[in-house]
Amino acid sequence: MNPYQQKRRWKYSLLTFAVVIASGSLLYTSYLVRNIAKSERTRAEVWALSMKHLLIADDDDFLGYVMSVRDSLSVPAIVTNNKGDVQFTRGLDPTKTHLKLEAENNKAKTYDPEYFKRELAYMQDQHRPIKYKVYGEQWLVYYKDSPLLTQLKFFPYVQLSVIAIFLLLAYTAFSSSRKSEQNQVWVGLAKETAHQLGTPISSLMAWIELMKEKFNAEDDSLIAEMENDVKRLEIVADRFSKIGSTPKLEEHRVYEVVKDFVDYFKVRISKNITIELLGNPHLQAGLNVPLFDWVLENLLKNAVNAIEGKGSIIVEISGNKIKKQVFIDVTDTGKGIPRSKFDTVFQPGYTTRKRGWGLGLSLTKRMIEVYHNGQIFVRDSELGKGTTFRIVLKNTRYDKETKS
Ligand SMILES: Nc1ncnc2c1ncn2[C@@H]1O[C@H](COP(=O)(O)OP(=O)(O)O)[C@@H](O)[C@H]1O
Ligand SMILES: [Mg+2]
């Protein structure tokens, strides 16, 4: 199974798991809430009943019993007569629930009719009242959910948030551990390749020296060409070994490094394509030349591939003095990249070429971001007109001649 499929399966199972837990928890909590609500109504009924008996009872023992029942019930409630006058309350804010009469008799006590009104409206909204008759008068018992039940109603949301956070953390940990694994494989492969290339390259060098002696041909052009190719191989091996270690960045004039590579590249492409280098020759940046050459090679090769028939490539070096940045823009007159693919082109495996691997730009991005602490992006592109890729590097130093 390919890693992308595997990753998607993981995502789906995590998601299913989350949905199962979430709905299970919602169902169970709503079951609890329903049961507790039922039992609270019973409590309110018992309380109402005990109030009634308190009022009409003349047996003291019975009264004591009724009072203990009454006080053990915890649902907040208000009793009114049929005109809506408050008769008794329980379980409300004790600083505000004194009755009018009490407050008038005792100055320390406060009577807050607004508070009663608010509470009553809230209770009327929550449950239908329990009715009973006292001395021929219809009394109404209003009650609201206990604090416990109210908390329980919020509980699923708390729980769901906790689960969501947990899943998010799990997923992040999982995907970052996979990433570092991929990095290790990547770096290991590069190191191993460099290592394995090393031996045949040095013996090839030795063979070439031997051939020069044997055929006594110091300036034989064939041997010179061979030597060039072997040197090229050495550079390739060097690049791979650099990927595996943290390369040193050295101060360079960007223009000079780019010029060396462009001069090398120029003579190796079709005569129908021209390459021009423009811009500020003084800007400096920390570069690792073998890796930076690799970056240029990838960008220039892509530009060449994008051009069908005749075309031109312009490499321009510019800078932003205030932000201390150096820009390297590679512009071609090729087929262009659709806007929706500006980010996708940097993903490994994305290619539109028949023989492409789609690794060039992902490697390039890595070399710019990880090894040069820079940025690379598609600055601009128009289908059928051309594309500009921009590299941004830190301008570490301006030399004396730098004016612009
Ligand atoms: N200068 C460009 N102009 C148009 N398309 C480009 C250009 N550079 C890259 N691309 C697109 O990005 C894809 C990925 O490029 P790259 O990672 O170098 O892989 P490859 O060259 O193997 O296809 C290319 O196949 C092409 O579709
Ligand atoms: Mg490429």
Side-chain angles (χ1 to χ4, degrees):
M1 194 177 0
N2 82 40
Y4 290 104
Q5 243 173 330
Q6 212 170 358
K7 199 168 169 184
R8 207 173 333 140
R9 266 171 68 150
W10 252 101
K11 267 189 203 162
Y12 283 135
S13 25
L14 270 178
L15 201 71
T16 321
F17 179 64
V19 169
V20 168
I21 290 189
S23 42
S25 132
L26 277 177
L27 280 176
Y28 183 62
T29 322
S30 81
Y31 164 81
L32 280 182
V33 165
R34 245 182 297 128
N35 273 331
I36 295 179
K38 223 191 269 172
S39 104
E40 287 194 348
R41 179 155 186 101
T42 313
R43 285 167 183 230
E45 276 167 358
V46 172
W47 180 70
L49 208 66
S50 64
M51 287 305 293
K52 175 178 172 175
H53 283 288
L54 267 180
L55 288 170
I56 56 179
D58 35 22
D59 176 346
D60 274 357
D61 280 354
F62 181 64
L63 218 65
Y65 171 68
V66 165
M67 279 173 87
S68 73
V69 168
R70 185 196 63 174
D71 294 338
S72 71
L73 299 172
S74 62
V75 190
I78 295 177
V79 182
T80 70
N81 62 16
N82 55 359
K83 289 183 217 117
D85 300 328
V86 176
Q87 307 291 326
F88 307 98
T89 68
R90 66 156 295 123
L92 296 181
D93 183 347
T95 63
K96 293 181 176 163
T97 51
H98 304 295
L99 297 178
K100 197 176 178 182
L101 203 70
E102 274 183 279
E104 276 165 6
N105 293 340
N106 182 345
K107 289 274 174 289
K109 295 183 172 178
T110 54
Y111 170 61
D112 182 355
E114 283 309 307
Y115 174 74
F116 279 115
K117 247 189 229 158
R118 249 179 293 125
E119 283 294 319
L120 195 60
Y122 182 74
M123 290 178 184
Q124 280 167 340
D125 220 34
Q126 264 205 340
H127 301 286
R128 71 199 145 75
I130 298 160
K131 300 174 181 169
Y132 65 98
K133 274 208 166 90
V134 181
Y135 305 131
E137 200 180 18
Q138 168 97 333
W139 284 18
L140 297 163
V141 180
Y142 295 98
Y143 69 103
K144 65 174 182 181
D145 294 336
S146 65
L148 180 72
L149 186 58
T150 314
Q151 281 166 15
L152 194 61
K153 280 179 173 168
F154 282 109
F155 177 66
Y157 302 103
V158 175
Q159 196 180 29
L160 289 188
S161 322
V162 170
I163 291 174
I165 290 168
F166 168 76
L167 282 178
L168 206 72
L169 286 179
Y171 183 75
T172 323
F174 176 68
S175 71
S176 80
S177 89
R178 272 184 61 98
K179 254 194 204 131
S180 79
E181 199 178 300
Q182 280 169 354
N183 273 347
Q184 274 174 12
V185 171
W186 176 267
V187 165
L189 196 66
K191 269 185 171 164
E192 183 62 21
T193 307
H195 183 73
Q196 293 202 7
L197 280 175
T199 321
I201 288 172
S202 28
S203 37
L204 271 174
M205 289 290 215
W207 286 122
I208 287 173
E209 287 308 312
L210 267 176
M211 270 165 81
K212 279 187 197 163
E213 268 176 38
K214 188 163 180 184
F215 298 111
N216 203 7
E218 229 1 278
D219 37 39
D220 186 295
S221 68
L222 250 174
I223 293 181
E225 280 301 315
M226 255 178 103
E227 204 169 4
N228 269 341
D229 281 333
V230 174
K231 285 204 173 118
R232 183 87 201 130
L233 263 181
E234 215 178 2
I235 291 174
V236 172
D238 190 40
R239 288 174 174 177
F240 278 107
S241 73
K242 292 262 169 9
I243 277 280
S245 54
T246 317
K248 273 214 187 89
L249 298 182
E250 287 162 354
E251 282 300 315
H252 285 280
R253 290 193 186 169
V254 179
Y255 188 92
E256 279 165 20
V257 173
V258 176
K259 183 174 189 310
D260 283 348
F261 188 79
V262 167
D263 286 345
Y264 160 84
F265 192 77
K266 225 179 214 168
V267 295
R268 284 168 171 75
I269 54 171
S270 144
K271 292 281 165 290
N272 289 327
I273 299 174
T274 58
I275 301 189
E276 210 178 337
L277 173 60
L278 305 170
N280 185 335
H282 304 300
L283 295 168
Q284 295 194 33
L287 293 179
N288 180 273
V289 176
L291 287 184
F292 197 70
D293 278 352
W294 197 353
V295 166
L296 291 171
E297 183 177 330
N298 281 330
L299 291 180
L300 292 178
K301 273 189 178 163
N302 281 351
V304 168
N305 288 331
I307 295 172
E308 282 164 20
K310 269 184 181 298
S312 66
I313 301 171
I314 294 173
V315 184
E316 186 169 2
I317 320 282
S318 58
N320 181 328
K321 207 170 178 178
I322 297 160
K323 288 191 178 169
K324 293 194 170 167
Q325 287 173 327
V326 184
F327 308 126
I328 301 120
D329 292 338
V330 179
T331 305
D332 63 60
T333 57
K335 64 183 164 76
I337 300 171
R339 191 157 286 274
S340 61
K341 295 282 185 287
F342 278 16
D343 289 332
T344 321
V345 291
F346 292 101
Q347 283 176 7
Y350 175 79
T351 180
T352 54
R353 293 195 301 132
K354 254 199 188 128
R355 293 249 182 101
W357 285 98
L359 289 179
L361 283 179
S362 73
L363 260 168
T364 301
K365 193 177 171 71
R366 190 186 167 85
M367 287 188 278
I368 290 298
E369 289 180 353
V370 178
Y371 297 117
H372 288 90
N373 309 316
Q375 290 156 276
I376 180 167
F377 51 88
V378 179
R379 185 185 174 204
D380 203 12
S381 186
E382 202 174 323
L383 286 179
K385 292 248 169 92
T387 305
T388 302
F389 277 87
R390 168 166 277 193
I391 298 171
V392 184
L393 297 177
K394 218 183 233 136
N395 185 193
T396 41
R397 196 168 63 195
Y398 278 87
D399 60 14
K400 284 192 192 99
E401 292 131 301
T402 307
K403 295 269 151 46
S404 52

